[in-house]
Amino acid sequence: MTLSNKSGSNNVLCLRLQRILHLFLIFLTCSTLLPFALAEGEEEDGPYRGQYLGKLNSYHHQVSGDVYAVNEYTFLIVGFNYDGNGADTFFWSGASNRPGPQGFIVPDEHGRTNILDRYHNKDFTLTLPDRKKITEIKWLAVYDLSSQNNFGDVYIPEEFEPPKTQVGGTFSRRSHNVSSSSIEILDSKTIRIKDFTYDGLGKRTFFWTGVGAQPSSRGSKLPDERGYLDPIRQYNKETIELELPGDKTIFDIDWISVYDVADSENYGHVLINERLNVPPSLVKITPFEFSLPNCRQLHKDLQVSWEVFGPQITFQLSGQVAANDYMSFGISGSDTSSQMIGSDVVVAYIDEIRGYTIDYNITSLAPCVQVLGQNKGVCRDDVVGGLDSFQLNTYSRKDGINTISFRRTLKSSDDGDKEIFLDRSNYVVWAFGQLDSNNEPAFHTHYPKSDILIDFNTTEPVNDCFAFTKSVEMPPPLWERTRITDATVRTFNAYLGPSGGLRGYQGLTGHVSSGLAWYINGYMIPELYLKRGLTYTFKVRGGNNPHSPEHYHPLVITDDPQGGYDRLSDAKQSEVRVLAGVEFTRRGRPKPTAAGPLCLSRYPPKYDRRLDDNFATFKKFNRSLITECVDEPPALLEITPNITWPDTVYYNSFTHGNMGWKIHIVDSYNNLRSVASSATSLSLSIVLLALCSLLQY
């Protein structure tokens, strides 16, 4: 035998020995009692990535990496390396005993089946095609089809069970009607509770979690289904999903409780099983280090930290908010509760250039408007004759988190500022939401409903803050759009109602909301179609008391989609064409002509408007409201659109922006009917095509 033959035999022998050793390792993996193996060198307190399958066996081209099963269909590859020098190389999988030509391409991390490029220490997921399951294959390889060479592989244990949603127990029925169906643990951070019931009558009751055999006061708050850390509301057979805060996972807790911290009483709880084989969470965790010694978590997406030094206090607001959002925090308007009206707050935000911390005084839950020569509502201190008492220190936006630090004196020289007391706790308020087109705070989307007390002068630093988490959230479906196209309708009844949540005004128009919206003939902001040359009458009931900053809304029609004509500067007013609802005095000042008595659809008592998006349709939402109208005749606004009118104009409020919507000015209703018919036919065609595609699939 020649030397080359001996060398070849030795290579074959080495490969066979490697295969025997590999099968032996698989046997050890399958026979172990632990359902979760750890990667070599992986610490037990490291991030949970799913069920560990092993390291990629490296044969050629520097292939390496750790492989996990995320769920029934998906692999997570951590620290993957490949030099990219294969000629026709793919991720390859199959059900044969070992990698070979019988198999199929696994799309790369982008869902493509291109030849693999170079990888260097990269983390990504691979999903098997055509809904194939990991239990249906025996291996995953980096395989070259042209040379039929296996560059690296990992094998699936025969008794492998992929991570999947696990069903747990039910909440024990102890008191306050707490009950549920079986909980579902969706992944390592998310718990779904079906048919959850609680009467809402506890003193200071929270979702509460911790370790140990039974719930106790040594646990910690679990944010509710909307991320709030307030005492929880009443629930009646609702399905909710709770996300464990920060970097906490299901493996860090033993129970979830409905717990009253005032009386240290457990109203009901469910135990969490050990060693659950669940998928890893896809929630993005952003650790955040605050620079000040004290920190309070106000919401899962908002923190405040502080430090007192002499007569001054330094604050830092950190929020996981959109780029055009504001964060607000301040001292309550009441000494006995957390109250927005009368409060003294900072409004902090970052634009494309710099950060801002602006001092605001809140006299009414409405945008800042002039009431008989005085500014009322949510107004800047310097607008109402005060001083801006906040001094900006630093600002930054990183990883979707705005961080703004600022300071003020504990006792300001401005009479409109609230004193921050150090000898007792302070009631505070907070909110965050979108800025309007004038960079003023619009109606807040997030705000507390309970009292919040903070002691700013503790002997030891306080800190209950946790890392920010961000999951992929789909916006809720919009409520139905309404178009009034009936040519026989010449009269429109206009009154006020709540603007709804993301399904309502904000979602339908793409504009921020002021909290109220126009309801026309029983619909929220319908689009109106009016014909040139015909006369139409609006019966206006938007409030005629100019002393009320909240409920004084004369109707106007302009070419400006935002509205709030009275709030605009003279320069801005000159750019807006007023078509109806305003006359001008001899001095050129605008004066509304269609201010009618107040007719308002209100929420029922004790209703939480943060739940507006729970209504699937506007009809259901509208039925929940209570309409109250002053018994006076409405103001009448008659219009006759003519050839000079633009094709699209807007009905809105004279005093507040973002309350109305479009009026389409048409020359003929016949054209409108043909367009509507074409749109209906197109919609039906799209539905039929979709059905055909589904049948073929």
Side-chain angles (χ1 to χ4, degrees):
M1 182 179 292
T2 65
L3 183 60
S4 59
N5 288 337
K6 288 182 180 180
S7 176
S9 299
N10 289 337
N11 289 337
V12 172
L13 180 60
C14 288
L15 288 174
R16 287 176 178 174
L17 288 173
Q18 285 180 346
R19 177 64 58 208
I20 293 171
L21 179 60
H22 180 63
L23 292 173
F24 177 68
L25 290 173
I26 290 176
F27 171 77
L28 289 178
T29 303
C30 293
S31 61
T32 182
L33 297 175
L34 295 176
F36 301 109
L38 292 171
E40 182 180 348
E42 184 180 357
E43 297 179 359
E44 292 187 3
D45 60 353
Y48 173 66
R49 297 186 172 111
Q51 189 164 344
Y52 185 59
L53 295 175
K55 289 185 176 296
L56 281 165
N57 301 296
S58 181
Y59 307 129
H60 303 287
H61 292 284
Q62 302 175 22
V63 168
S64 64
D66 291 290
V67 183
Y68 299 79
V70 172
N71 54 37
E72 295 179 275
Y73 313 98
T74 307
F75 295 101
L76 169 65
I77 303 182
V78 177
F80 180 64
N81 293 288
Y82 163 59
D83 65 13
N85 291 328
D88 194 25
T89 307
F90 301 89
F91 293 115
W92 187 251
S93 187
S96 57
N97 289 331
R98 61 179 183 177
Q102 294 181 345
F104 56 88
I105 294 175
V106 178
D108 64 17
E109 67 272 27
H110 305 296
R112 298 192 290 259
T113 55
N114 298 341
I115 294 173
L116 297 183
D117 291 325
R118 181 177 179 270
Y119 288 80
H120 177 67
N121 198 32
K122 193 170 182 181
D123 302 345
F124 54 90
T125 58
L126 299 178
T127 300
L128 294 175
D130 304 323
R131 300 293 289 176
K132 288 184 172 65
K133 296 183 178 181
I134 296 177
T135 52
E136 299 170 353
I137 64 174
K138 292 188 177 181
W139 42 264
L140 174 70
V142 179
Y143 192 83
D144 190 90
L145 291 180
S146 61
S147 64
Q148 296 188 10
N149 278 333
N150 177 18
F151 297 163
D153 59 27
V154 66
Y155 284 78
I156 313 300
E158 290 184 3
E159 301 299 325
F160 169 73
E161 292 186 9
K164 58 184 178 181
T165 297
Q166 301 292 321
V167 178
T170 62
F171 270 79
S172 59
R173 300 168 181 256
R174 299 174 69 94
S175 59
H176 288 273
N177 296 334
V178 170
S179 65
S180 75
S181 298
S182 297
I183 68 168
E184 294 178 349
I185 301 170
L186 304 183
D187 57 44
S188 59
K189 288 184 68 66
T190 312
I191 302 98
R192 177 183 291 153
I193 307 174
K194 292 186 175 180
D195 300 319
F196 178 65
T197 297
Y198 161 60
D199 64 12
L201 299 179
K203 295 179 181 177
R204 287 189 58 77
T205 307
F206 303 91
F207 291 116
W208 196 252
T209 186
V211 297
Q214 294 289 328
S216 69
S217 60
R218 293 188 297 273
S220 59
K221 292 180 186 179
L222 176 60
D224 68 14
E225 72 277 13
R226 291 168 295 138
Y228 287 93
L229 295 158
D230 301 342
I232 60 175
R233 61 181 176 88
Q234 178 184 3
Y235 295 84
N236 184 20
K237 290 189 173 297
E238 296 185 38
T239 296
I240 59 175
E241 291 185 8
L242 304 180
E243 178 191 294
L244 293 171
D247 56 4
K248 187 175 291 185
T249 70
I250 203 73
F251 309 112
D252 300 321
I253 65 173
D254 293 326
W255 43 261
I256 298 173
S257 168
V258 177
Y259 194 86
D260 190 277
V261 298
D263 294 333
S264 298
E265 184 178 352
N266 171 29
Y267 294 162
H269 71 280
V270 61
L271 296 176
I272 305 299
N273 294 331
E274 294 182 354
R275 301 192 182 282
L276 290 168
N277 188 11
V278 294
S281 173
L282 298 181
V283 166
K284 177 186 177 184
I285 301 174
T286 306
F288 187 77
E289 296 182 1
F290 48 91
S291 57
L292 302 178
N294 305 282
C295 188
R296 177 78 176 267
Q297 194 84 30
L298 303 172
H299 181 274
K300 71 178 285 286
D301 292 329
L302 184 66
Q303 302 171 350
V304 61
S305 51
W306 69 90
E307 182 179 32
V308 176
F309 186 78
Q312 292 190 326
I313 183 168
T314 300
F315 289 105
Q316 178 177 287
L317 284 178
S318 304
Q320 188 167 247
V321 296
N324 60 336
D325 281 4
Y326 69 88
M327 304 176 290
S328 180
F329 176 81
I331 304 300
S332 168
S334 168
D335 293 333
T336 58
S337 64
S338 292
Q339 176 182 294
M340 284 284 186
I341 294 181
S343 63
D344 172 31
V345 303
V346 63
V347 172
Y349 64 93
I350 300 174
D351 64 13
E352 296 178 353
I353 302 173
R354 53 160 293 187
Y356 298 84
T357 53
I358 303 174
D359 201 347
Y360 274 76
N361 187 274
I362 301 177
T363 57
S364 175
L365 301 181
C368 189
V369 294
Q370 278 209 345
V371 177
L372 300 180
Q374 290 186 327
N375 288 288
K376 300 289 184 180
V378 181
C379 298
R380 297 164 56 123
D381 272 25
D382 55 10
V383 171
V384 295
L387 301 173
D388 192 333
S389 303
F390 295 104
Q391 182 178 349
L392 177 68
N393 287 350
T394 62
Y395 57 90
S396 67
R397 179 170 178 82
K398 182 180 179 183
D399 296 327
I401 297 170
N402 280 3
T403 302
I404 303 177
S405 68
F406 52 95
R407 65 176 179 265
R408 59 157 282 187
T409 56
L410 296 170
K411 187 173 182 178
S412 170
S413 59
D414 185 352
D415 293 337
D417 286 344
K418 294 284 186 178
E419 182 177 355
I420 299 175
F421 295 99
L422 299 183
D423 58 349
R424 65 175 188 262
S425 296
N426 297 258
Y427 284 96
V428 300
V429 294
W430 64 264
F432 60 92
Q434 287 184 291
L435 295 166
D436 66 14
S437 56
N438 297 315
N439 280 341
E440 295 282 347
F443 186 80
H444 35 261
T445 54
H446 295 79
Y447 58 97
K449 294 284 286 185
S450 63
D451 294 334
I452 304 170
L453 272 168
I454 295 182
D455 185 351
F456 292 111
N457 191 33
T458 56
T459 54
E460 296 292 332
V462 296
N463 177 17
D464 65 3
C465 291
F466 46 77
F468 290 104
T469 59
K470 185 72 172 179
S471 56
V472 178
E473 296 180 359
M474 297 296 293
L478 302 181
W479 287 335
E480 58 275 19
R481 297 179 185 272
T482 302
R483 295 174 173 86
I484 298 179
T485 60
D486 190 343
T488 64
V489 176
R490 305 287 178 85
T491 301
F492 301 101
N493 292 300
Y495 61 99
L496 304 179
S499 58
L502 296 177
R503 293 174 181 254
Y505 181 92
Q506 185 172 331
L508 294 170
T509 66
H511 298 164
V512 298
S513 168
S514 66
L516 290 175
W518 282 109
Y519 285 43
I520 308 291
N521 291 1
Y523 300 101
M524 180 193 292
I525 57 162
E527 295 186 32
L528 310 181
Y529 287 78
L530 311 184
K531 183 182 177 182
R532 289 183 173 90
L534 297 182
T535 299
Y536 301 86
T537 301
F538 287 84
K539 296 182 176 181
V540 183
R541 295 179 174 89
N544 55 8
N545 179 9
H547 296 270
S548 172
E550 294 181 77
H551 299 138
Y552 177 57
H553 296 285
L555 185 73
V556 297
I557 298 175
T558 70
D559 64 353
D560 174 28
Q562 305 291 339
Y565 185 78
D566 193 45
R567 296 182 65 204
L568 301 178
S569 65
D570 291 345
K572 289 289 186 181
Q573 285 183 355
S574 66
E575 298 174 1
V576 176
R577 181 181 177 188
V578 177
L579 298 160
V582 176
E583 63 182 18
F584 292 87
T585 66
R586 291 180 178 179
R587 295 183 177 181
R589 304 310 303 163
K591 178 183 176 182
T593 63
L598 181 63
C599 186
L600 176 65
S601 287
R602 300 179 183 271
Y603 292 108
K606 297 183 178 181
Y607 175 80
D608 185 351
R609 72 172 298 162
R610 299 175 301 180
L611 303 177
D612 286 354
D613 287 332
N614 287 359
F615 290 94
T617 64
F618 170 72
K619 181 181 288 188
K620 292 181 178 179
F621 173 72
N622 199 29
R623 286 174 180 170
S624 73
L625 304 176
I626 301 169
T627 303
E628 300 174 349
C629 301
V630 176
D631 189 15
E632 297 177 8
L636 301 180
L637 179 64
E638 287 192 352
I639 63 170
T640 305
N642 57 41
I643 195 171
T644 67
W645 281 43
D647 291 340
T648 303
V649 296
Y650 301 86
Y651 60 92
N652 255 307
S653 166
F654 177 72
T655 54
H656 292 185
N658 300 324
M659 287 181 56
W661 197 221
K662 295 178 180 178
I663 301 176
H664 299 276
I665 308 301
V666 299
D667 295 320
S668 170
Y669 279 107
N670 293 329
N671 294 337
L672 185 61
R673 292 191 191 98
S674 64
V675 170
S677 176
S678 301
T680 303
S681 301
L682 180 60
S683 299
L684 288 172
S685 300
I686 292 172
V687 170
L688 289 172
L689 285 172
L691 287 172
C692 290
S693 300
L694 286 173
L695 289 172
Q696 290 175 356
Y697 179 77

